[in-house]
Amino acid sequence: MGVVISALQLILWLLVVPFCIGLLFNFILPEFRRTVGITFLLGYLIYMAVFEVIAIASMTRVVYSSFTYCRRTFIIAACLLAAFGMARSIRILREEEGKFLALFPGEAHADIRDFLNPRTDPKSYKVDYTLESRVYWGIFIAIMAFQMIMSIVMASFDGDDAYYVVESLLAQQADVMNTILPYTGMSTSLDIRHALAVITMWIAFVAKLSGIHATIVSHSIIPLFFIPLVYLVYVEIGRILFRSRQQIIPVFMIVVSLLLMFGNVSIYAPATFFLMRTWQGKALVSNLVFPMIIWLFLWMFENSKMEERTSFRPAWIMLGLVNMLSGVCSSLGVIFGSGLIALLTLILLVVTKRWTVILGAFLCIIPNIIYLGVYFSF
């Protein structure tokens, strides 16, 4: 019975709550982008942003400095947002006479294939799933499942366990947030170099609610969540790159999955971190945050080519949330992410000749500026 409850708690806090939060805020997205995948990504970004604000406020003693306070406050905030998201969805369902498809891709009478294979252009088209396409999707899913299984079965020892995993474990068992030195067990002042990357506290949060040891969550649960999440971002990238040839997406995903599987040319390669250190913040920055930044800029490049002038505002909002996620994962992610955004903004400016993109880029990195201000104030 305990295993069932733990599994339900994991499903609730890793999947259901972020998706419901996405349902609350997906009105900011263009109608043709309100797909299940993008709605979940939006909800997950907001979910992590809320946790980051609460966790940093707790650690820096803006409020009570304890993991219990952080955990309870986040539960209340996340549950409220998720409840409002569900209420909004129910209201929409009633307005649309209970037709589920009206929530996401567009018309209430859309074909089910349009829902499963969302459109990437307002004047879009239907994609027929050929036998060949289904075979390629099957191959990719098999590769992804193999990676998920092997990341658990063949989990390797990593020296960072002595610090990062122990920080999660201390939060779970001792109710502290980065105030006990993992190497010695003695009390210490807040280690700001690692403290602001609150991914360890989030893992402790998941571990506490599920009743699973933080080390097991890090090595066995987190890969099962983040590996598909990373591939979801690449699917969205593929939808834009191959918008007129959607049947190529599974081939693109097979190539990406093989590159990540056999890209361990050194112990420091992003592909190595993706499958061997999935639970570490720097692994998520290189394999999740950076691809999300590229995806959102591809989104804006695509919008700039549409016949009707389309606002970049939703993409900039999501990019600001991605910057907050980079801070959750790693302090260096804030710096490198800002640099990548600056480079891509320059290219976007040249292509679109919209001077407003400079303002959008500045606004989306405000979370990074605040993050660095907190960092250097300690």
Side-chain angles (χ1 to χ4, degrees), residues 189-206:
S189 58
L190 185 67
D191 180 9
I192 200 66
R193 177 173 175 266
H194 299 99
L196 293 187
V198 295
I199 186 70
T200 53
M201 297 298 104
W202 177 73
I203 291 174
F205 169 79
V206 174

Side-chain angles (χ1 to χ4, degrees), residues 69-114:
Y69 178 85
C70 171
R71 175 169 52 85
R72 291 175 177 173
T73 305
F74 179 67
I75 288 174
I76 294 172
C79 287
L80 284 175
L81 292 175
F84 284 129
M86 288 295 295
R88 177 175 178 268
S89 301
I90 293 172
R91 179 178 59 81
I92 293 175
L93 282 170
R94 288 177 176 174
E95 290 176 356
E96 296 294 337
E97 299 177 356
K99 292 174 181 175
F100 181 74
L101 293 181
L103 268 174
F104 301 107
E107 299 83 12
H109 301 283
D111 188 274
I112 185 64
R113 287 177 299 178
D114 289 334

Side-chain angles (χ1 to χ4, degrees), residues 28 38-40 50 180 215 218 238 240 260 345:
I28 71 171
I38 296 179
T39 297
F40 178 80
V50 172
I180 292 180
T215 306
S218 296
I240 297 176
L260 289 173
T345 299

Side-chain angles (χ1 to χ4, degrees), residues 23-98:
L23 291 175
L24 177 61
F25 292 99
N26 73 345
F27 67 87
I28 71 171
L29 302 172
E31 185 177 0
F32 64 95
R33 295 199 192 274
R34 293 175 193 173
T35 64
V36 174
I38 296 179
T39 297
F40 178 80
L41 289 173
L42 173 63
Y44 174 72
L45 290 173
I46 296 172
Y47 166 88
M48 293 302 291
V50 172
F51 182 83
E52 178 183 27
V53 171
I54 294 173
I56 291 179
S58 297
M59 285 188 297
T60 54
R61 300 181 186 278
V62 173
V63 290
Y64 297 105
S65 179
S66 74
F67 179 67
T68 297
Y69 178 85
C70 171
R71 175 169 52 85
R72 291 175 177 173
T73 305
F74 179 67
I75 288 174
I76 294 172
C79 287
L80 284 175
L81 292 175
F84 284 129
M86 288 295 295
R88 177 175 178 268
S89 301
I90 293 172
R91 179 178 59 81
I92 293 175
L93 282 170
R94 288 177 176 174
E95 290 176 356
E96 296 294 337
E97 299 177 356

Side-chain angles (χ1 to χ4, degrees), residues 186-252:
M186 299 179 64
S187 298
T188 182
S189 58
L190 185 67
D191 180 9
I192 200 66
R193 177 173 175 266
H194 299 99
L196 293 187
V198 295
I199 186 70
T200 53
M201 297 298 104
W202 177 73
I203 291 174
F205 169 79
V206 174
K208 188 72 174 180
L209 290 187
S210 64
I212 302 174
H213 196 282
T215 306
I216 297 174
V217 171
S218 296
H219 287 281
S220 299
I221 304 300
I222 295 302
L224 297 180
F225 173 69
F226 277 119
I227 290 176
L229 187 64
V230 167
Y231 284 128
L232 174 59
V233 174
Y234 279 104
V235 167
E236 296 301 333
I237 290 175
R239 292 192 192 283
I240 297 176
L241 292 178
F242 307 107
R243 58 179 176 175
S244 61
R245 297 177 296 166
Q246 297 283 288
Q247 66 276 10
I248 296 181
I249 293 177
V251 180
F252 168 71

Side-chain angles (χ1 to χ4, degrees), residues 155-170 182-183 200 213-216 218-219 276-280 282:
S156 60
F157 168 79
D158 187 88
D160 284 342
D161 285 3
Y163 193 94
Y164 297 108
V165 173
V166 174
E167 286 288 14
S168 299
L169 185 59
L170 287 170
Y183 298 137
T200 53
H213 196 282
T215 306
I216 297 174
S218 296
H219 287 281
M276 298 179 65
R277 302 184 181 186
T278 314
W279 48 271
Q280 290 187 10
K282 44 187 172 286

